[in-house]
């Protein structure tokens, strides 16, 4: 039975992928393995920010293209995983900033901002808790949104989140607590 | 009183010491026992009256309200009493993605990469070699130009050779050359005005070399190296 690239990507550690990338002969293959390994996690991380698939796809591709260009200079002080999430978060926030300037609306504005994007998604159903949760997440300020989604969906340890968001563990815990309370209030209010 | 004494005697025989005394004086409403029976009867009659009233409620409830109430309440209770409400929320992402999106994504990204950049970035030593080669070339040209300048001004034999060589070139070719190399001519003339005795050749070379190297982009260096 042949091993697929996805299986290989799951088996190889970040360090092994990085070593392969440094070798000119295996560079492209290593990159493909890296994309396969992290594409889904990063996709959902970005989509929780930008909502639409097309925009998510653009941002995700930018993330990996940036990774391709900078990976040679990557210092292994932080993990490849947190490094990619950091690029993903920054790219998503940059995208939102551009969107904000373009539309001259507050991204956090529930009625005119990202909430409308959620409501416009195929299959949106306000009666379903998973959709209410998406609306609740969009009602959060951007930084809290990042903290909440990284912790809640990706179950990222605070120490790693600290590397991704360049914020102290204590602030992240406080931020997650505030975000959770807001989400809870939003959902109970909607019920 | 006799009865009371009997109890005391009995307790004394049993060697039990208790502060047995008469009942404390407790007040009861005046005429309580007299009116007790009539009050009891009126209470019984009132109960009979209430028994005869209809027990149905005139209010309406939404259809199926009580059927769903249990589930609704248990959800609310679960949400409110859960030690971590957030953890009870679904982690399922409701968004849709195109089919085979993740299968095709890596090849899409790779196709967008500038594979030229997959050429290994020049190491410092290689960069240095290229820069040094360029520097050597510039120095060689400068040296030749300077030497030529000195020779043309000091030796008659050289003048003779140059004159002979120039004689072979037509006037038309000379005028064309002057027009096309006007800027270089200006630079040469400017160079002639420099007092050679005061000229620090090494300093001059260094300055010219630095200027030349600063104007060269990394891309030009790469192209030259390739």
């Amino acid at each position: 039975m042949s091993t697929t690239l996805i299986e290989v990507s799951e088996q190889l550690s970040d360090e092994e992928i990085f070593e392969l990338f440094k070798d000119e002969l295996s560079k492209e293959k290593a990159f493909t393995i890296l994309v396969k390994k992290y594409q889904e996690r990063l996709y959902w991380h970005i989509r929780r920010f930008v909502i639409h698939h097309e925009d998510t796809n653009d941002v995700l591709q930018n993330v990996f293209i940036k990774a391709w260009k900078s990976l040679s200079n990557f210092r292994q002080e932080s993990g490849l995983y947190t490094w990619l999430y950091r690029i993903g978060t920054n790219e998503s926030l940059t995208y939102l900033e551009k969107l904000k300037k373009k539309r001259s609306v507050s991204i956090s504005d529930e009625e005119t901002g990202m909430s409308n994007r959620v409501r416009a998604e195929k299959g949106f159903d306000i009666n379903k808790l998973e959709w209410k949760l998406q609306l609740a997440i969009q009602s959060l300020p951007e930084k809290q949104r990042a903290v909440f989604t990284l912790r809640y969906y990706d179950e990222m340890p605070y120490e790693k989140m600290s590397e991704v968001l360049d914020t102290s563990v204590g602030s992240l815990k406080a931020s997650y607590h505030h975000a959770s309370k807001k989400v809870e209030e939003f959902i109970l209010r909607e019920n | 009183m006799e009865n009371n004494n009997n109890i005391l005697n009995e307790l004394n025989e049993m060697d039990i010491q208790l502060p047995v005394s008469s009942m404390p004086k407790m007040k009861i409403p005046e005429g309580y026992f007299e009116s007790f029976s009539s009050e009891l009867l009126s209470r019984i009659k009132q109960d009979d009256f209430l028994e005869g009233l209809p027990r149905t409620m005139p209010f309406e409830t939404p259809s199926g309200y009580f059927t769903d109430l249990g589930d609704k309440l248990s959800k609310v209770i679960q949400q409110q009493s859960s030690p971590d409400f957030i953890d009870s929320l679904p982690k399922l992402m409701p968004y849709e993605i195109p089919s085979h999106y993740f299968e095709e994504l890596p090849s899409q990204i790779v196709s967008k990469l500038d594979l030229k950049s997959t050429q290994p970035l020049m190491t410092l030593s290689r960069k240095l070699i290229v820069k040094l080669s360029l520097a050597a070339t510039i120095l060689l040209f400068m040296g030749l130009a300077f030497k030529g300048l000195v020779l043309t001004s000091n030796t008659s034999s050289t003048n003779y050779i140059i004159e002979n060589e120039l004689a072979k070139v037509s006037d038309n070719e000379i005028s064309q050359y002057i027009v096309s190399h006007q800027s270089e001519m200006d630079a040469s003339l400017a160079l002639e005005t420099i007092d050679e005795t005061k000229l620090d050749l090494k300093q001059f070379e260094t300055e010219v070399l630095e200027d030349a190297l600063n104007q060269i982009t990394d891309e030009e260096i790469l192209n030259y190296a390739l």
Side-chain angles (χ1 to χ4, degrees):
Chain A
M1 206 167 105
S2 64
T3 313
T4 67
L5 204 53
I6 292 176
E7 286 168 339
V8 170
S9 68
E10 291 298 326
Q11 288 163 7
L12 287 180
S13 68
D14 286 354
E15 289 75 21
E16 287 168 323
I17 295 172
F18 186 61
E19 285 304 311
L20 279 174
F21 189 83
K22 285 198 285 189
D23 184 347
E24 203 54 43
L25 292 173
S26 55
K27 187 172 188 172
E28 206 174 310
K29 190 183 173 187
F31 181 72
T32 308
I33 291 170
L34 182 76
V35 174
K36 293 257 181 198
K37 186 171 183 179
Y38 287 110
Q39 59 181 4
E40 288 200 41
R41 274 180 274 184
L42 284 173
Y43 174 89
W44 289 115
H45 176 57
I46 294 164
R47 189 149 185 193
R48 283 175 205 123
F49 279 103
V50 304
I51 313 298
H52 289 341
H53 167 75
E54 287 73 19
D55 298 327
T56 306
N57 184 42
D58 287 346
V59 175
L60 182 64
Q61 293 198 12
N62 281 345
V63 170
F64 279 117
I65 289 168
K66 283 202 169 176
W68 167 266
K69 287 177 179 169
S70 325
L71 200 55
S72 306
N73 304 320
F74 173 67
R75 290 170 299 163
Q76 285 184 292
E77 290 160 3
S78 63
L80 205 52
Y81 160 75
T82 49
W83 183 67
L84 286 170
Y85 263 89
R86 195 181 169 107
I87 301 175
T89 307
N90 288 340
E91 285 293 305
S92 301
L93 294 177
T94 305
Y95 171 84
L96 291 181
E97 279 301 311
K98 282 180 188 169
L99 196 73
K100 204 190 288 188
K101 282 177 188 166
K102 204 173 165 183
R103 293 188 171 182
S104 302
V105 296
S106 165
I107 290 297
S108 302
D109 187 335
E110 198 183 311
E111 293 308 313
T112 54
M114 302 307 285
S115 295
N116 277 350
R117 287 194 155 213
V118 175
R119 289 173 200 276
E121 278 295 305
K122 194 178 173 186
F124 175 78
D125 185 350
I126 189 63
N127 295 315
K128 288 188 175 168
L129 194 54
E130 54 264 35
W131 283 107
K132 278 180 195 165
L133 180 56
Q134 296 312 308
L135 288 175
I137 290 169
Q138 293 310 318
S139 73
L140 298 173
E142 283 163 26
K143 187 71 184 283
Q144 277 185 15
R145 204 182 310 164
V147 174
F148 183 83
T149 56
L150 282 173
R151 182 73 187 153
Y152 184 71
Y153 286 107
D154 296 306
E155 295 176 2
M156 190 179 276
Y158 283 113
E159 288 71 23
K160 286 202 182 295
M161 278 168 69
S162 175
E163 289 175 24
V164 173
L165 300 172
D166 202 17
T167 310
S168 72
V169 170
S171 298
L172 289 171
K173 284 181 180 176
S175 192
Y176 182 70
H177 173 74
H178 290 307
S180 301
K181 288 307 285 178
K182 284 181 190 171
V183 167
E184 182 176 353
E185 284 164 14
F186 184 97
I187 290 174
L188 290 176
R189 197 169 61 236
E190 290 289 316
N191 270 344
Chain B
M1 228 22 214
E2 194 184 343
N3 193 31
N4 203 9
N5 286 335
N6 289 341
I7 293 168
L8 280 172
N9 291 335
E10 193 177 324
L11 288 171
N12 285 334
E13 282 170 14
M14 290 166 72
D15 200 23
I16 297 171
Q17 299 297 320
L18 279 179
V20 179
S21 61
S22 59
M23 282 291 290
K25 287 183 178 175
M26 290 179 183
K27 283 188 176 178
I28 53 169
E30 202 174 330
Y32 171 76
F33 290 112
E34 287 80 359
S35 61
F36 180 74
S37 57
S38 60
E39 280 186 14
L40 194 63
L41 276 171
S42 75
R43 173 84 183 269
I44 290 166
K45 281 178 184 175
Q46 193 181 7
D47 284 353
D48 287 345
F49 172 76
L50 290 173
E51 278 294 315
L53 292 176
R55 287 181 180 268
T56 52
M57 289 294 290
F59 307 115
E60 284 190 1
T61 54
S63 64
Y65 172 75
F66 292 107
T67 320
D68 302 335
L69 187 63
D71 288 342
K72 281 181 181 172
L73 279 175
S74 64
K75 268 185 190 173
V76 172
I77 290 164
Q78 198 183 0
Q79 285 169 356
Q80 290 181 342
S81 63
S82 169
D84 199 344
F85 167 77
I86 294 301
D87 287 342
S88 70
L89 297 177
K91 292 206 173 182
L92 166 82
M93 287 298 289
Y95 303 119
E96 285 194 1
I97 51 169
S99 56
H100 306 297
Y101 172 71
F102 289 118
E103 285 90 333
E104 292 160 6
L105 184 67
S107 57
Q108 277 180 18
I109 293 173
V110 169
S111 71
K112 285 189 177 180
L113 296 176
D114 178 13
L115 290 176
K116 263 191 172 179
S117 66
T118 60
Q119 298 286 347
L121 289 171
M122 279 203 298
T123 59
L124 187 63
S125 58
R126 196 172 169 198
K127 253 184 175 172
L128 199 63
I129 289 166
V130 173
K131 283 199 170 184
L132 285 174
S133 308
L134 278 170
T137 312
I138 292 166
L139 276 176
L140 182 66
F141 278 114
M142 279 178 50
L144 286 173
F146 193 76
K147 199 173 180 183
L149 202 69
V150 173
L151 282 174
T152 50
S153 61
N154 292 335
T155 59
S156 57
S157 60
T158 314
N159 282 346
Y160 177 73
I161 293 165
I162 291 169
E163 278 172 13
N164 274 347
E165 289 300 312
L166 280 175
K168 294 174 189 171
V169 183
S170 70
D171 289 349
N172 191 31
E173 283 175 324
I174 290 172
S175 59
Q176 276 183 357
Y177 179 82
I178 290 169
V179 170
S180 60
H181 293 77
Q182 189 62 49
S183 57
E184 290 164 33
M185 296 290 174
D186 292 343
S188 301
L189 288 171
L191 196 62
E192 278 181 6
T193 61
I194 296 168
D195 184 352
E196 288 167 30
T197 56
K198 291 179 183 173
L199 183 67
D200 183 348
L201 186 60
K202 278 191 179 173
Q203 176 66 26
F204 177 69
E205 284 174 356
T206 309
E207 285 172 5
V208 172
L209 185 60
E210 278 178 0
D211 282 348
L213 288 177
N214 286 338
Q215 285 170 17
I216 299 168
T217 64
D218 283 351
E219 198 179 345
E220 285 170 334
I221 293 169
L222 273 171
N223 289 337
Y224 179 84
L226 295 172

